[in-house]
Amino acid sequence: MLRPPENQVAGHRAVEGQLGPFVDGAGLFYKPLQGDDRGAHEVAFYSSFSSDPRVPPHVRAFFPGFHGTQILPASDGSGPHPHLVLDDLAAGLRCPSVLDLKIGARTWCPSAPVDYFHKCLKKDSDSTSVALGFRVSGVRIHHGGDAGFWQPDRDVIRRFTAKDVRRTLRLFVSSNPASDSDPPDCVFASTVYGGSNGVLAQLLELKAWFEDQTVFHFYSASVLVMYETEEVEAGRAGGGVRVKLVDFAHVMEGNGVIDHNFLGGLCSLIKFISEILTDPDECLAEPKKKPLSFENGS
Amino acid sequence: MLRPPENQVAGHRAVEGQLGPFVDGAGLFYKPLQGDDRGAHEVAFYSSFSSDPRVPPHVRAFFPGFHGTQILPASDGSGPHPHLVLDDLAAGLRCPSVLDLKIGARTWCPSAPVDYFHKCLKKDSDSTSVALGFRVSGVRIHHGGDAGFWQPDRDVIRRFTAKDVRRTLRLFVSSNPASDSDPPDCVFASTVYGGSNGVLAQLLELKAWFEDQTVFHFYSASVLVMYETEEVEAGRAGGGVRVKLVDFAHVMEGNGVIDHNFLGGLCSLIKFISEILTDPDECLAEPKKKPLSFENGS
């Protein structure tokens, strides 16, 4: 019954003898606990979060439902292994386009051990995290009908520049495949990003919570955006758009301070999405003018 | 005619043979250009900014007016030295209480040279910048009448913890001096922080601009908050509250991306100020509960 999820675009995959998650096809997602303390940490987060009265219901809806842990045979054949049991966020979607965005200029928390901190800092600087406040961790864009999908390799995504991210956010709501000569048409922007339950509206709801909540700091967590490609192509309102938060192996207590790192990145993403809605034909033109160059180091 | 400013709480001071700024008592502030490229950088920023049509007038009002540069004898006796000529932001205030807050979890820009980057990263981590998204750079709090003022030394401020910052933001609007046994009374909170032109309202106006503007990134800039102590003590509406932005030696072009680093820190500061307004009697109690400890590194 258990099988690797079809729609996974980031993280470890349960293929080729690797340790990865399963879905059961009946609405559950089984995520193997990571071997170091990240696994225990993520379980502790879900347990704490799922019973925390300070989280309002409309915010809780952004998080996968948590159904405890379960020992299952590991996908890498290493024997019994504890798995988090979560809602399968892609359940019911037949042909979803998926975008995984890791939020925050900084993926390390202040208490991180030195090596981990250096590893993260390098990844944050080499990717767009430092510059944009977020980075693309994975993407799959269906082109409709039998045209297949675009899902760049992890190594390609790792090298994404700010321009690539901008382009990906446009391609995600375009009917035409990626090409240098043919700019993304953004014809699905208003269905997916716009509207009262579209991506922008949902991100703004999240933002309002992050401006206020001082309970959790979400390092290295992702915003996962999905929509049902066929629904969107058929122009059906809503388009099956889902916006969720995932990956909580590095959540820390907020201790009375807002998560300014996550919030800043979220606001940056919101600005990109807003611009696509305001100006869907902009065709990735570079910023129009640079009035004066006053950049010369520090 | 030129003299060191009475109300300076951060930065280099023109005393004891050091290079520092002057005021002329007629509304102008003369800031010596820093010797490395920071001086040139700050001049370039002011020149660019003061003529940039993309900056709306209500935002421009947060910045000191710029009146070019002028060669003046340096305060350290080293001879003629170029100075920025700016509005004296404390002009007209007789006995101001002043708070200088350096905004942003990160004071280094992505293109900073390696040594500078390491120096900043250490300062950001050792101070509250990383944890809170801002740090106190300087403070002077008058206690009214002849009671003098509290202005901790730079070395004391450098060691400020999150708790010290929280306390300083409360002391800044309190009538009683700092002491461990006597919690800040926050009696001036509604006059200084509240109201339609109070600190919170002005910070929210700045925030709205930072959510949208992609022109400038303000690394290592400060929000300067001042009020006329006597006015506030007399309960006069407004209380001469001023909120300004200063220190632009590290401003970079935004290149179409919002300044998520500054914005995140600003939102964090806004949350602290809001809490004081909502709960002026909270008396620096520690956060009430920690539901579950799930912090164990990463």
Side-chain angles (χ1 to χ4, degrees):
Chain A
M1 300 283 283
L2 296 181
R3 56 174 199 269
E6 292 86 0
N7 303 305
Q8 194 187 345
V9 299
H12 305 283
R13 303 207 62 207
V15 292
E16 295 160 11
Q18 293 180 70
L19 188 62
F22 298 113
V23 291
D24 66 0
L28 293 180
F29 182 92
Y30 301 84
K31 180 176 179 178
L33 265 59
Q34 287 162 286
D36 48 29
D37 60 3
R38 285 182 288 176
H41 201 92
E42 191 158 20
V43 174
F45 167 74
Y46 272 109
S47 308
S48 165
F49 179 85
S50 62
S51 65
D52 195 313
R54 294 168 296 183
V55 181
H58 75 278
V59 169
R60 202 173 286 286
F62 284 104
F63 291 76
F66 170 60
H67 310 283
T69 59
Q70 198 172 317
I71 308 283
L72 294 171
S75 64
D76 61 359
S78 63
H81 191 99
H83 289 65
L84 273 165
V85 187
L86 303 169
D87 286 345
D88 177 6
L89 301 175
L93 296 176
R94 277 171 304 174
C95 186
S97 289
V98 185
L99 185 55
D100 183 307
L101 302 162
K102 195 183 280 276
I103 307 295
R106 178 159 63 87
T107 57
W108 48 276
C109 73
S111 64
V114 163
D115 324 352
Y116 182 77
F117 152 74
H118 281 292
K119 200 173 124 187
C120 288
L121 183 61
K122 182 163 165 42
K123 273 193 194 172
D124 296 345
S125 299
D126 290 351
S127 72
T128 64
S129 292
V130 167
L132 305 187
F134 67 94
R135 65 181 185 243
V136 175
S137 281
V139 60
R140 174 186 297 186
I141 304 172
H142 280 277
H143 302 305
D146 299 324
F149 58 80
W150 179 62
Q151 180 166 351
D153 276 356
R154 191 176 301 187
D155 288 341
V156 172
I157 291 177
R158 266 196 202 128
R159 291 192 300 271
F160 268 15
T161 62
K163 196 174 168 184
D164 295 326
V165 171
R166 222 179 261 279
R167 184 179 175 80
T168 300
L169 291 172
R170 289 181 168 264
L171 279 170
F172 189 64
V173 292
S174 292
S175 67
N176 53 338
S179 100
D180 282 340
S181 55
D182 195 17
D185 58 28
C186 294
V187 291
F188 306 134
S190 60
T191 311
V192 175
Y193 291 157
S196 62
N197 202 33
V199 173
L200 180 61
Q202 294 198 51
L203 293 179
L204 288 171
E205 213 174 317
L206 261 185
K207 174 183 170 233
W209 186 59
F210 273 94
E211 285 173 343
D212 190 54
Q213 74 89 12
T214 61
V215 184
F216 302 109
H217 284 193
F218 294 88
Y219 295 104
S220 208
S222 284
V223 162
L224 189 69
V225 181
M226 287 176 289
Y227 64 83
E228 182 67 280
T229 311
E230 294 166 12
E231 296 275 310
V232 165
E233 284 173 343
R236 277 195 278 276
V241 169
R242 299 180 185 180
V243 175
K244 300 287 177 180
L245 289 179
V246 295
D247 294 342
F248 308 118
H250 303 281
V251 177
M252 299 286 143
E253 289 180 1
N255 292 324
V257 180
I258 66 163
D259 188 353
H260 49 86
N261 176 61
F262 191 100
L263 176 59
L266 187 62
C267 289
S268 177
L269 173 61
I270 284 170
K271 175 68 178 175
F272 277 95
I273 303 278
S274 304
E275 280 179 344
I276 295 172
L277 280 166
T278 315
D279 196 2
D281 299 322
E282 192 227 16
C283 301
L284 300 173
E286 286 298 290
K288 283 126 211 163
K289 57 172 189 172
K290 297 190 171 189
L292 234 185
S293 179
F294 50 87
E295 295 208 24
N296 51 354
S298 56
Chain B
M1 300 283 283
L2 297 182
R3 57 173 198 268
E6 290 86 1
N7 304 305
Q8 194 186 345
V9 298
H12 304 284
R13 304 206 62 208
V15 291
E16 294 161 10
Q18 293 181 69
L19 189 61
F22 297 113
V23 291
D24 66 0
L28 293 179
F29 181 92
Y30 301 84
K31 180 177 178 176
L33 265 60
Q34 287 162 288
D36 49 28
D37 60 4
R38 285 182 287 176
H41 201 92
E42 192 158 19
V43 173
F45 167 73
Y46 272 110
S47 309
S48 165
F49 180 85
S50 63
S51 64
D52 195 311
R54 294 168 295 181
V55 181
H58 75 279
V59 169
R60 201 173 285 287
F62 284 103
F63 291 77
F66 170 61
H67 310 284
T69 59
Q70 199 172 316
I71 308 282
L72 295 172
S75 63
D76 61 0
S78 63
H81 191 98
H83 289 64
L84 274 165
V85 187
L86 303 170
D87 286 344
D88 177 6
L89 300 176
L93 296 176
R94 277 172 304 175
C95 186
S97 289
V98 185
L99 184 56
D100 183 307
L101 301 163
K102 195 184 281 275
I103 307 295
R106 178 159 62 87
T107 57
W108 49 276
C109 73
S111 64
V114 164
D115 345 342
Y116 183 78
F117 152 74
H118 281 292
K119 200 174 122 187
C120 289
L121 183 61
K122 182 163 166 39
K123 274 193 195 172
D124 296 346
S125 299
D126 290 350
S127 72
T128 64
S129 292
V130 167
L132 305 188
F134 67 94
R135 67 183 184 240
V136 174
S137 280
V139 60
R140 173 185 298 185
I141 304 172
H142 281 278
H143 301 307
D146 298 325
F149 57 80
W150 179 62
Q151 180 166 350
D153 276 356
R154 190 175 303 187
D155 288 341
V156 172
I157 291 177
R158 266 195 203 128
R159 290 192 301 270
F160 267 15
T161 62
K163 195 175 168 185
D164 295 327
V165 170
R166 220 179 262 278
R167 184 178 175 82
T168 300
L169 291 173
R170 289 183 168 262
L171 278 171
F172 189 63
V173 292
S174 292
S175 67
N176 54 338
S179 99
D180 282 339
S181 54
D182 194 18
D185 57 29
C186 294
V187 291
F188 307 134
S190 60
T191 310
V192 175
Y193 290 157
S196 62
N197 201 33
V199 172
L200 181 62
Q202 294 198 50
L203 293 179
L204 288 171
E205 213 175 317
L206 261 184
K207 173 183 171 234
W209 185 58
F210 273 93
E211 284 173 344
D212 189 55
Q213 74 90 12
T214 62
V215 184
F216 302 109
H217 284 192
F218 294 87
Y219 295 104
S220 208
S222 285
V223 163
L224 189 68
V225 181
M226 286 176 289
Y227 66 82
E228 182 67 280
T229 311
E230 294 166 12
E231 296 275 310
V232 166
E233 284 173 342
R236 277 194 278 276
V241 169
R242 300 180 184 180
V243 175
K244 300 287 176 179
L245 289 178
V246 295
D247 293 343
F248 308 118
H250 302 281
V251 177
M252 298 287 144
E253 288 180 2
N255 292 323
V257 179
I258 66 163
D259 188 353
H260 48 86
N261 176 60
F262 191 99
L263 177 59
L266 188 61
C267 289
S268 177
L269 173 61
I270 284 170
K271 175 69 178 174
F272 276 95
I273 302 278
S274 304
E275 280 180 344
I276 295 172
L277 280 166
T278 315
D279 195 3
D281 299 322
E282 193 228 14
C283 300
L284 300 172
E286 285 300 287
K288 282 128 211 159
K289 58 172 190 171
K290 296 192 170 188
L292 233 187
S293 179
F294 50 87
E295 297 209 23
N296 53 353
S298 52

